[in-house]
């Protein structure tokens, strides 16, 4: 019987080493996964990290603060009336009373009456489309009022000689800031939805001329014609804007 020599398998040692490395990597992956699950559990502390219902949406917080600010302003108005009544009881000289009234009028703390303009801005109707041939279909931002639209009207009215301006039901003063959060207006701690009504007491010819000459307003009027955004200007011979009833404290300022 002939003799046969069984050749050795040179790849057997390599395959054995590969299996060992694979087992080590598998163990490492499971260990890392376990560590991640542990860290996530410690972070969540029994809550759902993605759908925790205890977290308020930003809009809910803004609405809550708006209600609180409205209540605080009403209380402040009552306290100011009581302080004025006490000051009258103690008595003031006519000169002091006149000076105080002039300062309050300049600061916007007293009601103002006279001729003026009322400007109303509003979002486009639901489902609005282009009204002019060749104009592209509107996007979402083309159909709503933005902060710069309201600010443009306010700035134009000031330039036109407005003696006092009211936005919605609030009088503007030197520290007032017009801001928008989403599609709502945030003014002096309170939230408003469109339509936005802006009233200004002053000479109507100057106010109208300033509004007509403003470049930002002219751009807005193009969207009025193209997509149906709301725009109305009304002239009045006897318009009244209220006095500012909030706090007039200046908390911070920046140098220009």
């Amino acid at each position: 019987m002939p003799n046969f020599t069984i050749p050795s398998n040179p790849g057997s040692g390599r395959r054995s080493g590969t299996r060992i490395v694979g087992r080590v990597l598998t163990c490492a992956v499971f260990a890392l996964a376990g560590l991640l699950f542990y860290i996530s559990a410690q972070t969540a502390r029994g809550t759902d990290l993605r759908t925790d219902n205890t977290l308020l949406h930003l809009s809910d917080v803004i609405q809550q603060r708006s209600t609180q600010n409205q209540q605080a302003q009403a209380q402040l108005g009552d306290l100011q009336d009581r302080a004025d009544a006490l000051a009258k009881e103690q008595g003031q000289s006519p000169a002091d009373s006149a000076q105080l009234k002039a300062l309050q009028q300049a600061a916007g703390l007293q009601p103002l009456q006279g001729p003026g303009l009322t400007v109303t801005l509003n979002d486009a109707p639901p489902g609005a489309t282009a009204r002019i041939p060749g104009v592209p279909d509107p996007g979402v931002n083309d159909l709503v009022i933005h902060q710069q639209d309201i600010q443009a009207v306010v700035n134009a009215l000031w330039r036109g000689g407005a003696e006092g301006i009211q936005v919605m039901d609030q009088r503007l003063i030197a520290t007032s800031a017009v801001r928008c959060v989403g599609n709502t207006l945030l003014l002096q701690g309170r939230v408003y939805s469109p339509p936005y009504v802006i009233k200004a007491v002053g000479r109507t010819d100057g106010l109208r001329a300033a509004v007509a000459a403003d470049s930002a307003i002219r751009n807005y009027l193009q969207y009025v014609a193209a997509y149906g955004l709301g725009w109305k200007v009304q002239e009045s011979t006897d318009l009244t804007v209220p006095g500012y009833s909030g706090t007039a404290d200046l908390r911070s300022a920046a140098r220009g």
Side-chain angles (χ1 to χ4, degrees):
M1 179 180 295
N3 294 325
F4 294 96
T5 301
I6 300 175
S8 62
N9 188 350
S12 61
R14 189 179 301 118
R15 288 197 297 270
S16 176
T18 302
R19 286 196 296 270
I20 294 174
V21 172
R23 290 172 183 172
V24 171
L25 290 176
T26 301
C27 293
V29 170
F30 280 113
L32 180 59
L35 178 62
L36 292 176
F37 284 133
Y38 173 78
I39 294 174
S40 178
Q42 291 297 314
T43 303
R45 297 285 185 182
T47 62
D48 189 338
L49 292 177
R50 293 176 58 85
T51 59
D52 186 3
N53 293 327
T54 62
L55 299 178
L56 292 176
H57 295 293
L58 178 59
S59 59
D60 297 330
V61 175
I62 293 174
Q63 187 61 49
Q64 183 184 46
R65 294 293 186 270
S66 176
T67 302
Q68 294 173 351
N69 289 335
Q70 185 174 2
Q71 295 171 350
Q73 286 182 353
Q75 295 175 354
L76 178 60
D78 293 339
L79 292 175
Q80 287 178 338
D81 292 339
R82 292 173 58 185
D84 293 340
L86 290 173
K88 290 181 180 179
E89 291 178 1
Q90 294 178 355
Q92 288 181 330
S93 68
D96 290 341
S97 297
Q99 183 181 13
L100 177 61
K101 186 175 182 179
L103 291 173
Q104 290 177 333
Q105 190 72 41
L109 304 181
Q110 292 290 332
L112 191 62
Q113 186 174 4
L117 290 184
T118 299
V119 180
T120 304
L121 300 90
N122 201 1
D123 292 346
T129 58
R131 298 184 173 188
I132 301 176
V135 173
D137 290 333
V140 176
N141 290 329
D142 298 325
L143 302 177
V144 297
I145 304 300
H146 294 279
Q147 174 178 318
Q148 60 265 28
D149 302 325
I150 303 173
Q151 192 67 63
V153 174
V154 171
N155 290 342
L157 293 172
W158 283 129
R159 287 195 300 270
E163 300 175 28
I165 296 178
Q166 172 187 350
V167 176
M168 301 304 280
D169 60 349
Q170 294 199 65
R171 176 77 174 269
L172 298 185
I173 60 173
T175 56
S176 300
V178 176
R179 294 189 179 92
C180 283
V181 179
N183 61 342
T184 58
L185 169 66
L186 179 61
L187 177 62
Q188 294 166 172
R190 293 171 60 184
V191 179
Y192 301 92
S193 298
Y196 300 120
V197 180
I198 305 169
K199 298 180 180 180
V201 171
R203 292 182 53 183
T204 55
D205 55 347
L207 297 175
R208 278 189 175 277
V211 169
D214 188 87
S215 59
I217 294 178
R218 288 201 301 267
N219 181 68
Y220 172 82
L221 292 178
Q222 293 180 3
Y223 285 81
V224 172
Y227 304 125
L229 286 170
W231 174 260
K232 182 189 294 184
V233 179
Q234 297 172 292
E235 186 173 328
S236 176
T237 58
D238 187 16
L239 190 65
T240 300
V241 297
Y244 176 74
S245 60
T247 176
D249 294 338
L250 182 62
R251 299 180 181 273
S252 61
R255 296 181 61 183

